Amino acid sequence: MSITHLQSFVAVAEEGHVGRAALRLHITQPPLSRHILALEDELGTPLFERVPKGMRLLPTGEALLQHARRILEEVEVAARTVREAAGASRPPPA
Amino acid sequence: MSITHLQSFVAVAEEGHVGRAALRLHITQPPLSRHILALEDELGTPLFERVPKGMRLLPTGEALLQHARRILEEVEVAARTVREAAGASRPPPA
DNA sequence: CACGGTTACGGGGAACGTAAATATC
DNA sequence: GATATTTACGTTCCCCGTAACCGTG
């Protein structure tokens, strides 16, 4: 379970469509599809139902979505916090 | 900032020593050292002070440590939750 | 010169993108 | 036949481990 895979998962969950999510992430469909398959394989359960229009979240996927969003948010906050801590202790470059 | 890098960071922070952290993670020192350097490069600031005995956390590192632990915990919870959700909906294999 | 972290370097695996295949309507 | 995902396949890139190097007590 990598951060990249979680980003991919959230994008597909929100778009309901691998193709559109791929455009949004600036990658092509196959690697993105593989990210989802890898997550499903790792967790041992499908996360989406494949419907003619695209991808629809299953209950397992709904559960993951909440955690994934929180994790990605935490990562953002962590990076920002460290940079702020660095800026606070380091004298301004002027 | 990958999950692997965060795991490496926490191990080094807790051991205060790249060599011992590497043993704990079952990898060799060079890749582990590179994980730390990559994090420091990505965040634009050192996270450890290199002392003769090993690695000592800087304030920036202290800040990251809290977030890193939380993120890793969240990842654990996410995986467990999804597996539980899968088990609840899937009939027992007996 | 012992100890600890880092850099050099080569090889194997991971992951991308193009193209082809599959499935559903 | 159009749309959407997945698989095949070739190539590139990343990352590990071994070995060598650097800095400090």
Side-chain angles (χ1 to χ4, degrees), chain A residues 23-92:
Chain A
L23 286 174
R24 171 169 147 188
L25 295 172
H26 302 101
I27 62 174
T28 57
Q29 292 88 336
L32 182 47
S33 177
R34 287 189 291 253
H35 292 180
I36 305 301
L37 293 169
L39 269 178
E40 292 179 325
D41 181 68
E42 178 179 355
L43 294 169
T45 182
L47 298 168
F48 292 96
E49 180 187 359
R50 274 69 172 173
V51 296
K53 303 271 198 178
M55 311 277 275
R56 192 178 182 293
L57 273 180
L58 293 171
T60 49
E62 297 277 6
L64 180 59
L65 183 55
Q66 298 183 20
H67 290 282
R69 283 185 172 135
R70 187 176 320 178
I71 290 165
L72 295 176
E73 176 63 22
E74 286 277 1
V75 170
E76 292 287 322
V77 172
R80 192 177 335 139
T81 302
V82 171
R83 291 203 181 92
E84 284 171 4
S89 61
R90 183 171 355 98

Side-chain angles (χ1 to χ4, degrees), chain B residues 17-19 30 33-34 37 50:
Chain B
H17 194 282
V18 175
S33 176
R34 288 189 291 253
L37 292 170
R50 275 69 172 174

Side-chain angles (χ1 to χ4, degrees), chain B residues 31-76:
Chain B
L32 182 46
S33 176
R34 288 189 291 253
H35 293 179
I36 304 302
L37 292 170
L39 270 178
E40 293 179 325
D41 180 69
E42 178 180 355
L43 294 170
T45 182
L47 298 168
F48 292 96
E49 179 188 1
R50 275 69 172 174
V51 295
K53 302 271 197 177
M55 311 277 274
R56 191 177 183 293
L57 274 179
L58 292 170
T60 50
E62 297 277 7
L64 180 58
L65 183 56
Q66 298 183 19
H67 290 281
R69 283 186 172 134
R70 186 177 320 177
I71 291 166
L72 296 176
E73 176 63 22
E74 286 277 0
V75 169
E76 291 287 322

